[in-house]
Amino acid sequence: MSDQNKELQELASKEYEHGWSTEIEAERIPKGLSEEIVRIISAKKGEPQWLLDWRLKAFAHFQKLEEPRWSKVSYPAIDLQGLYYYSAPKQEPLKESLDEVDPKLLETFDKLGIPLEEQKQLAGVAVDAVFDSVSVRTTFREKLAEAGVIFCSFSDAVREHPDLVKKYLGSVVPYTDNYYATLNSAVFSDGSFVYIPEGTRCPMELSTYFRINDQKSGQFERTLIVAEAGAYVSYLEGCTAPQRDENQLHAAVVELVVLDDAEIKYSTVQNWYPGDEEGRGGIYNFVTKRGACRGRNSKISWTQVETGSAITWKYPSCLLQGDYSIGEFYSVALTRHAQQADTGTKMIHIGRGTRSTIVSKGISAGRSQNSYRGEVKVMKGAIGARNHSQCDSLLIGDHCGAHTFPYIESQTPTAVLEHEATTSKISDDQLFYCRQRGMSEEDAVSMIVNGFCKEVFNELPMEFAVEAGKLLAVSLEGAVG
Amino acid sequence: MLSVKGLKASVGGTEILRGVDLEIRPGEVHAIMGPNGSGKSTLSQIICGRQDYDVTEGEVRFEGEDLLQLPVEERAARGIFLGFQYPIEIPGVSNTYFLRAAVNAVRAARGEEEMDAADFLRHVRAKAKLLELDLALLSRPVNVGFSGGEKKRNEILQMMILEPKLALLDETDSGLDIDALRVVAEGVNALRSAERAIVVVTHYQRLLDYIVPDYVHVLSAGRIIKTGGKELALELEERGYGWLLEEKLQA
Ligand SMILES: Nc1ncnc2c1ncn2[C@@H]1O[C@H](COP(=O)(O)OP(=O)(O)OP(=O)(O)O)[C@@H](O)[C@H]1O
Ligand SMILES: [Mg+2]
């Protein structure tokens, strides 16, 4: 623990490590949301007509929608007209190498712990870094290209692989899906595109770091990952954001498509600015993530560690269409101070013999509210479908709340659905035991919480698991005692 | 080394310790016996800094230092170890990880270097073998699903790794089979030295055949009512506690 501890201490000495912002001149279009703005975004990005039309349809639909209020989170109404919908760091287009990239920008990546140069040589992880709304650098393109893997910014995909984008965009999350997804469809700025061809195992883990940098720039990322028959990819997403006084809206959309015998493993560590003790200034994180297991024996595994954001509203879901397809959801959500999280998953069993596993670990401290909301639905044809759900809540202190809302619906008598839920507290006995062995109270709490999350961390790629453990510890600083 | 003087403690207004005096010098082994509920565990927990009790009178000093002012972990860092009567479970945290965290925390508090991970592992395995502890328990979560005897052996393993100056072993013999009792006793005896002191809380004189004490104390209703040599334990085994209470009343 103590290697970890030292790092923890360093991290803990800063209130919010990623709370700086880089001074780069940003190019912005005017504030507010209108058809005109949608057109400007599309034009700035040099998009084809079909995509503009799609955005406009989404925008027209959005006009008819009202902000949903069914989740267990509360916040002041968001002034959509007060936001900027497009901002790009000012730099010359079409860089040939890193040397040509604004050094300030590279510094930013260094601060984030992702020096691209080093990563190129050492980590063997390709990084598509999204800085504000424009993709800055994609590495390892060649190596991936050799394998036939496409990993690029969404904008590049639109330019270079329009047929693929056209075929799959909105096919899992239609632009009519929900308020935030519709908004995203109209104004999405950029994001990532991944395509793994038939029978290909992606030779490395793909990783994207998002960063919200420009003040008042609502972020509308769009990610699309397609795994053809027999393909496999592990995708990592990590987020940080600078400290801000004004709340920032983030409404991303992630779509996954998995064909026969293919698998996508999607891991997230989310550490956006949670706001101060009163919750002021944190990120509003309203995300729509959904994957379609279209093929037989296909598999999607969502793993998430959510420690940041003032509000998290997010339900990574699986449509288990293919026979014997598998959906998994492993989640750790930690809230403290005035944070609110309403997160969970939906597993929709459509094909025969489909299976799903849900493991949710909620940790609440301070005055925070932490809700698990999950839906398991078994449709008529899903003969022999199985689900196992386990939702555990850990409370730290007496002023926080943990809530579990499992919705289970089955139209198939042969389905086997199991749901377990527990709520526990860190006991004085446990703390006394650890401290008697020499550990500080904070280290003891962080160790116990990490133990509580073990099943989920086991699902994360190694380096992410370490990062996640650190994040929890830092987030828990001062939460006890 | 440890000096307890006139210690009174209560919980929720009920007095549990009613004036305990205890002097422990380096190299000594003390046994504390006494009826259920007499305050044996309470005494050991207060020495280690458990906050559930209100200390109303008296003092506890360790190597001259006022212990009652120190947080739990600092007492541990000074070299005080408690073998729990009921070891606590910590789900998801591997036994080895826990041990390493403990060792490094104590070392850090003493300004010592961290133990090398590989050395540490070898060390732990060697000690576990001495205690005939199934090595699989090292990678399982702390005490979760351990049998009663395994939990107790695990406490002794922790003690052997942490090498405390003062070990308080609260009913470590309870729940151990005959062979385990011998093995655990050997573990404790291996730790005996001129610099260390050991306090065993027990109900059975059998343990004291293996770990031969210099002093035997009888704690009853929050007071030490009798102190003697190892023969006192034999006498208690034969006659129970009743006669002592009467003797005390007559005195
Ligand atoms: N936290 C507490 N709250 C209330 N009562 C307590 C608490 N701790 C101890 N007691 C009471 O204090 C008395 C002494 O308890 P203690 O556990 O110290 O006894 P013991 O001598 O160790 O007994 P045993 O031999 O059964 O282990 C008991 O009556 C017990 O119920
Ligand atoms: Mg006891």
Side-chain angles (χ1 to χ4, degrees):
Chain A
M1 161 132 122
S2 42
D3 316 293
Q4 222 167 316
N5 261 355
K6 256 192 218 143
E7 285 167 88
L8 288 187
Q9 246 127 40
E10 281 162 28
L11 287 170
S13 58
K14 306 149 193 172
E15 165 66 353
Y16 181 72
E17 195 194 11
H18 297 293
W20 34 264
S21 84
T22 313
E23 287 165 41
I24 292 178
E25 215 184 315
E27 179 203 357
R28 277 200 199 130
I29 56 175
K31 261 202 245 201
L33 182 62
S34 64
E35 186 181 316
E36 186 56 22
I37 292 289
V38 174
R39 286 179 185 279
I40 293 175
I41 293 169
S42 188
K44 284 254 178 209
K45 301 173 80 65
E47 285 175 355
Q49 187 64 37
W50 63 265
L51 192 48
L52 173 62
D53 291 344
W54 194 75
R55 285 179 182 273
L56 291 174
K57 274 192 284 182
F59 181 73
H61 185 73
F62 185 73
Q63 301 294 87
K64 296 182 247 164
L65 297 180
E66 300 233 346
E67 205 176 339
R69 286 286 171 175
W70 47 262
S71 64
K72 206 173 169 9
V73 300
S74 57
Y75 53 92
I78 299 165
D79 175 18
L80 293 177
Q81 297 305 336
L83 299 175
Y84 292 93
Y85 288 87
Y86 182 86
S87 82
K90 258 201 181 151
Q91 56 168 134
E92 305 294 288
L94 293 172
K95 305 281 187 230
E96 287 301 317
S97 79
L98 285 177
D99 311 338
E100 295 172 43
V101 175
D102 186 336
K104 270 261 163 113
L105 211 54
L106 294 178
E107 241 177 71
T108 301
F109 290 127
D110 284 343
K111 283 191 205 164
L112 280 170
I114 42 164
L116 293 191
E117 275 298 284
E118 242 175 66
Q119 284 209 4
K120 267 185 179 174
Q121 296 146 11
L122 300 175
V125 174
V127 173
D128 175 284
V130 175
F131 185 86
D132 263 31
S133 313
V134 165
S135 289
V136 176
R137 198 71 221 170
T138 307
T139 55
F140 270 78
R141 273 265 183 97
E142 290 101 54
K143 196 169 171 194
L144 290 173
E146 248 172 63
V149 171
I150 303 168
F151 177 36
C152 61
S153 74
F154 206 92
S155 312
D156 286 351
V158 169
R159 264 191 304 277
E160 292 160 27
H161 312 281
D163 295 344
L164 284 174
V165 176
K166 206 170 169 179
K167 182 169 174 191
Y168 292 108
L169 176 69
S171 75
V172 186
V173 180
Y175 68 79
T176 50
D177 195 77
N178 71 72
Y179 185 82
Y180 301 109
T182 302
L183 176 61
N184 175 292
S185 302
V187 301
F188 72 88
S189 36
D190 210 330
S192 296
F193 176 78
V194 176
Y195 178 82
I196 317 288
E198 194 169 332
T200 303
R201 198 181 161 85
C202 184
M204 62 198 79
E205 268 159 356
L206 302 181
S207 155
T208 301
Y209 289 79
F210 294 94
R211 179 164 172 81
I212 300 175
N213 195 59
D214 198 22
Q215 200 155 11
K216 278 192 178 174
S217 69
Q219 284 275 301
F220 303 95
E221 311 289 350
R222 187 114 201 160
T223 300
L224 174 59
I225 304 179
V226 180
E228 291 278 8
Y232 171 84
V233 63
S234 166
Y235 187 85
L236 318 182
E237 172 199 65
C239 316
T240 57
Q243 192 156 348
R244 285 281 176 240
D245 290 326
E246 286 154 276
N247 286 307
Q248 289 183 305
L249 173 63
H250 187 96
V253 171
V254 176
E255 294 180 280
L256 311 181
V257 178
V258 193
L259 301 178
D260 286 359
D261 303 304
E263 176 178 351
I264 296 178
K265 186 172 168 55
Y266 195 107
S267 312
T268 307
V269 171
Q270 186 265 115
N271 180 30
W272 281 330
Y273 182 55
D276 64 11
E277 299 208 357
E278 302 304 319
R280 282 184 300 246
I283 302 290
Y284 289 179
N285 186 25
F286 303 126
V287 188
T288 304
K289 289 184 168 176
R290 192 176 307 150
C293 284
R294 297 220 171 123
R296 206 181 156 83
N297 293 322
S298 56
K299 178 174 174 183
I300 289 176
S301 184
W302 297 104
T303 306
Q304 60 174 27
V305 176
E306 306 278 326
T307 59
S309 298
I311 298 175
T312 299
W313 179 96
K314 161 175 186 193
Y315 316 90
S317 306
C318 298
L319 301 172
L320 303 171
Q321 297 165 310
D323 289 348
Y324 307 101
S325 59
I326 296 173
E328 294 175 340
F329 175 73
Y330 299 95
S331 170
V332 166
L334 181 146
T335 52
R336 59 165 183 162
H337 294 327
Q339 274 179 286
Q340 308 173 63
D342 195 301
T343 182
T345 184
K346 283 185 198 172
M347 294 289 174
I348 312 296
H349 293 256
I350 300 162
R352 294 170 154 259
T354 45
R355 281 180 291 149
S356 61
T357 303
I358 298 172
V359 178
S360 161
K361 305 278 183 178
I363 302 137
S364 339
R367 291 171 292 116
S368 67
Q369 296 294 326
N370 201 325
S371 303
Y372 166 81
R373 188 182 302 277
E375 180 177 341
V376 176
K377 195 168 183 173
V378 181
M379 313 297 277
K380 263 212 178 70
I383 295 158
R386 299 180 76 97
N387 162 267
H388 184 86
S389 302
Q390 186 192 324
C391 303
D392 300 322
S393 306
L394 187 69
L395 301 172
I396 299 172
D398 299 319
H399 305 291
C400 51
H403 317 272
T404 306
F405 305 98
Y407 305 96
I408 298 172
E409 186 191 327
S410 176
Q411 301 166 5
T412 303
T414 53
V416 181
L417 309 177
E418 299 160 333
H419 180 86
E420 290 172 49
T422 66
T423 300
S424 53
K425 285 190 120 186
I426 295 182
S427 72
D428 288 348
D429 283 341
Q430 285 176 324
L431 288 179
F432 181 62
Y433 192 58
C434 296
R435 293 177 67 197
Q436 209 301 304
R437 297 302 183 249
M439 295 167 225
S440 71
E441 183 161 10
E442 272 180 356
D443 287 348
V445 167
S446 124
M447 186 178 74
I448 293 165
V449 169
N450 271 285
F452 174 75
C453 301
K454 185 70 163 283
E455 285 162 277
V456 175
F457 288 173
N458 282 346
E459 296 298 321
L460 287 172
M462 217 3 218
E463 61 275 27
F464 250 33
V466 172
E467 177 141 325
K470 283 191 239 161
L471 261 183
L472 285 197
V474 173
S475 308
L476 283 168
E477 282 295 324
V480 281
Chain B
M1 172 184 250
L2 180 75
S3 166
V4 180
K5 287 206 179 99
L7 184 66
K8 291 191 181 177
S10 56
V11 60
T14 312
E15 193 159 66
I16 297 171
L17 299 184
R18 304 163 187 237
V20 174
D21 295 286
L22 192 61
E23 275 304 322
I24 295 172
R25 285 165 290 270
E28 293 178 349
V29 173
H30 291 239
I32 298 180
M33 303 182 79
N36 291 134
S38 56
K40 304 181 296 296
S41 295
T42 303
L43 175 62
S44 359
Q45 301 222 3
I46 289 176
I47 292 171
C48 292
R50 181 96 195 198
Q51 290 305 304
D52 301 14
Y53 307 96
D54 303 318
V55 173
T56 49
E57 264 186 71
E59 61 169 31
V60 180
R61 292 191 168 269
F62 184 71
E63 298 183 322
E65 195 176 9
D66 182 2
L67 261 198
L68 297 178
Q69 297 307 316
L70 291 180
V72 182
E73 57 270 33
E74 284 182 34
R75 300 185 200 198
R78 298 289 193 281
I80 298 177
F81 177 91
L82 174 61
F84 282 59
Q85 182 175 0
Y86 305 107
I88 309 299
E89 300 183 356
I90 308 181
V93 176
S94 95
N95 215 7
T96 304
Y97 184 88
F98 179 83
L99 256 177
R100 194 159 129 78
V103 166
N104 284 334
V106 167
R107 290 175 80 105
R110 293 177 186 156
E112 293 167 13
E113 293 265 306
E114 266 183 21
M115 207 160 172
D116 173 75
D119 288 347
F120 174 78
L121 217 64
R122 264 194 296 278
H123 188 54
V124 171
R125 283 167 170 274
K127 298 290 182 198
K129 281 209 182 100
L130 276 182
L131 290 170
E132 297 173 20
L133 190 77
D134 183 357
L135 291 184
L137 293 181
L138 295 177
S139 42
R140 276 173 46 184
V142 182
N143 291 322
V144 177
F146 287 23
S147 75
E150 286 168 345
K151 284 184 181 170
K152 294 301 173 71
R153 266 191 260 200
N154 197 39
E155 293 292 289
I156 296 302
L157 175 68
Q158 293 179 7
M159 179 190 75
M160 291 175 88
I161 301 293
L162 288 166
E163 300 180 334
K165 284 189 196 160
L166 172 67
L168 308 164
L169 305 177
D170 193 356
E171 295 201 28
T172 302
D173 54 337
S174 305
L176 291 180
D177 63 42
I178 311 278
D179 292 334
L181 186 71
R182 180 184 44 77
V183 166
V184 161
E186 278 166 11
V188 174
N189 285 330
L191 209 72
R192 283 182 85 155
S193 78
E195 299 81 45
R196 289 207 178 92
I198 294 164
V199 177
V200 291
V201 173
T202 183
H203 287 294
Y204 307 106
Q205 103 74 36
R206 198 182 52 194
L207 176 72
L208 306 180
D209 286 341
Y210 294 104
I211 306 172
V212 183
D214 300 299
Y215 299 94
V216 174
H217 309 276
V218 177
L219 189 67
S220 174
R223 280 195 192 93
I224 290 180
I225 56 166
K226 177 106 184 161
T227 294
K230 60 176 183 283
E231 23 357 289
L232 177 57
L234 283 168
E235 196 170 359
L236 289 170
E237 178 101 330
E238 223 166 89
R239 300 174 64 188
Y241 294 111
W243 62 279
L244 265 181
L245 296 173
E246 277 162 32
E247 201 172 74
K248 182 87 186 164
L249 279 177
Q250 278 154 22

